[in-house]
Amino acid sequence: MALDFGETTHRNTPSAFSVNIILAEGPLAVSWQHASATCEFLGDLFAHHHAQGGADYNEARHAIIYLVNELLENAIKFRNPGDIMLLCSLEDGNLELAVCNSTAPAVAEKFQSLLSEITSRDPGELLIERIEANAADETSSASGLGLLTLMNDYGARLGWTFEQNDGGAIVLRTYASLTLN
Amino acid sequence: MEIKTAEYNVWTEGSTIHYEGTLRLSGTDAYQPILDLMQQVLVEKPQNVVLDLTQLEFLNSSGINLLAKFTIELRKHPDVAMKVLGSTRIPWQSKSLPNLQKLHKGVELLIT
C-alpha cells in the first residue's frame, strides 16, 4: 500500500537538464562523507548550468548544496543497507530532486508521524517550536529540522511516498523542488 | 581553545567564537565538543558573547540546531549580550540566522 505526504508531483520534462546518480552500497560502502561529495558535485554542476542565463551562481549553488545535503543526510541516516538513487533536473529555473532509498517499516512509521505534523502546520512556527523542544530534551535527535529549514528558509516544496516492496522493506521516495533565482 | 580539522576550524579569542570552513557533522552528539567549547566561554561570565560566522561557508541543519541551542542557553544569562556576525557573501546566513532572533529577542544580528 502506498502512502503520500506533501507535494509528490514533479513537472520538469524529459528534455530538462538532468543527472541521475546511484550511490551503490557495494562498491562505495555508502557513508556520511558521500553526502558532502555528492551535494558539492550537484551544486557546482547545476549552478553553472543555471548561471549561464545570467543568474547568481553563488546563491543557486548554495541552495542546491543545502537541499541535496539535507535529503541525502536523511537517506544515509535512516536507510536500510542498500543503494540510494538521486535524480536531479533543472528546467526554467525549477530545480527538482528525487531521492529514493529503502528503510525499515518501524523507521518509516515514525517518519510518517513526523511528516503528518510537518505537512499540516506552518513550517516557520513549527521550526521554532521544534528547536525549543529539542533544546529542552537532551536526548532529542533534532530530526525534522533539516526539512523545516528547507521549507521555511529556502521555500522548498517537499513530498514523500512510501511503498512496501516484496521483501517487506519500505521504499521511500523524497521529492523536492526549488525555484532558483 | 580550538577544534581544528581539514574541513573546519572553531576557536575562541576572549569571548568571541570564530567559525571557519564547512560544518557538516552527523548530529547532536557529533556537535557536542563544539557546544562544549561555546559553553566554556560562558563560564568566564563575560559581558558579551560574539559568534563570528563570517568565514563559515556551510552549516548543515544539525549545526543550525547547535547555534539555536546555544542561543536558548543564553536566555538564561540575561546579563550577557549576544552578537552574531554573518556575511552576505554566504547565502545560508541571511536565510537561517534570523531564526535565532525569534528564539532570543536580545540577539544582535549583523550580516554585512
Side-chain angles (χ1 to χ4, degrees):
Chain A
M1 195 184 74
L3 198 55
D4 291 5
F5 295 86
E7 295 182 37
T8 57
T9 317
H10 273 174
R11 66 161 200 243
N12 283 353
T13 66
S15 59
F17 177 69
S18 66
V19 170
N20 293 356
I21 292 177
I22 298 174
L23 298 180
E25 178 81 311
L28 279 177
V30 173
S31 66
W32 196 249
Q33 83 266 14
H34 293 108
S36 289
T38 309
C39 73
E40 293 280 349
F41 169 67
L42 289 175
D44 267 342
L45 183 68
F46 280 86
H48 263 299
H49 190 80
H50 183 60
Q52 283 170 3
D56 188 318
Y57 168 80
N58 185 41
E59 193 80 30
R61 177 178 172 276
H62 178 84
I64 298 165
I65 287 180
Y66 191 81
L67 173 71
V68 175
N69 186 64
E70 288 300 326
L71 296 192
L72 208 43
E73 281 189 359
N74 280 353
I76 290 171
K77 235 186 238 180
F78 299 112
R79 81 192 199 287
N80 264 354
D83 298 351
I84 299 173
M85 280 170 281
L86 293 96
L87 169 58
C88 193
S89 69
L90 175 65
E91 193 169 46
D92 301 330
N94 183 49
L95 183 101
E96 293 181 345
L97 174 70
V99 179
C100 179
N101 59 279
S102 94
T103 190
V107 175
E109 209 171 298
K110 217 171 151 194
F111 190 40
Q112 286 161 1
S113 83
L114 175 73
L115 292 177
S116 315
E117 195 180 7
I118 282 180
T119 52
S120 61
R121 298 265 315 270
D122 172 67
E125 215 173 87
L126 197 53
L127 175 64
I128 299 300
E129 250 178 53
R130 288 199 76 95
I131 287 173
E132 293 279 3
N134 287 330
D137 175 8
E138 284 295 320
T139 60
S140 165
S141 62
S143 62
L145 291 190
L147 303 176
L148 289 167
T149 49
L150 278 168
M151 292 162 88
N152 186 62
D153 301 351
Y154 291 78
R157 300 167 294 278
L158 302 177
W160 299 265
T161 66
F162 296 82
E163 217 169 324
Q164 191 150 27
N165 70 12
D166 297 340
I170 307 293
V171 177
L172 167 61
R173 288 186 180 80
T174 305
Y175 296 88
S177 60
L178 260 185
T179 305
L180 300 179
N181 296 317
Chain B
M1 282 181 293
E2 184 177 30
I3 300 175
K4 192 172 183 173
T5 74
E7 283 82 37
Y8 62 87
N9 190 6
V10 181
W11 75 99
T12 57
E13 276 174 11
S15 61
T16 298
I17 308 163
H18 297 272
Y19 304 76
E20 191 178 72
T22 295
L23 268 171
R24 282 195 196 112
L25 304 183
S26 60
T28 311
D29 291 350
Y31 275 106
Q32 191 61 43
I34 297 178
L35 185 60
D36 290 344
L37 178 148
M38 294 164 75
Q39 283 169 336
Q40 198 59 40
V41 170
L42 295 179
V43 173
E44 306 291 325
K45 300 197 184 307
Q47 287 185 327
N48 59 56
V49 172
V50 179
L51 307 188
D52 181 355
L53 306 168
T54 54
Q55 302 297 321
L56 188 61
E57 304 293 330
F58 189 91
L59 185 66
N60 65 359
S61 65
S62 303
I64 291 171
N65 189 48
L66 161 90
L67 298 183
K69 256 180 139 165
F70 185 72
T71 304
I72 289 171
E73 173 85 28
L74 256 289
R75 289 196 310 226
K76 297 179 203 148
H77 302 263
D79 45 330
V80 181
M82 179 174 173
K83 193 191 267 192
V84 179
L85 306 179
S87 166
T88 53
R89 185 180 62 81
I90 307 174
W92 72 265
Q93 303 190 345
S94 303
K95 288 183 163 72
S96 292
L97 289 177
N99 291 325
L100 300 182
Q101 289 178 308
K102 292 183 192 153
L103 295 166
H104 183 2
K105 300 266 181 293
V107 171
E108 186 185 351
L109 176 60
L110 275 176
I111 302 179
T112 54

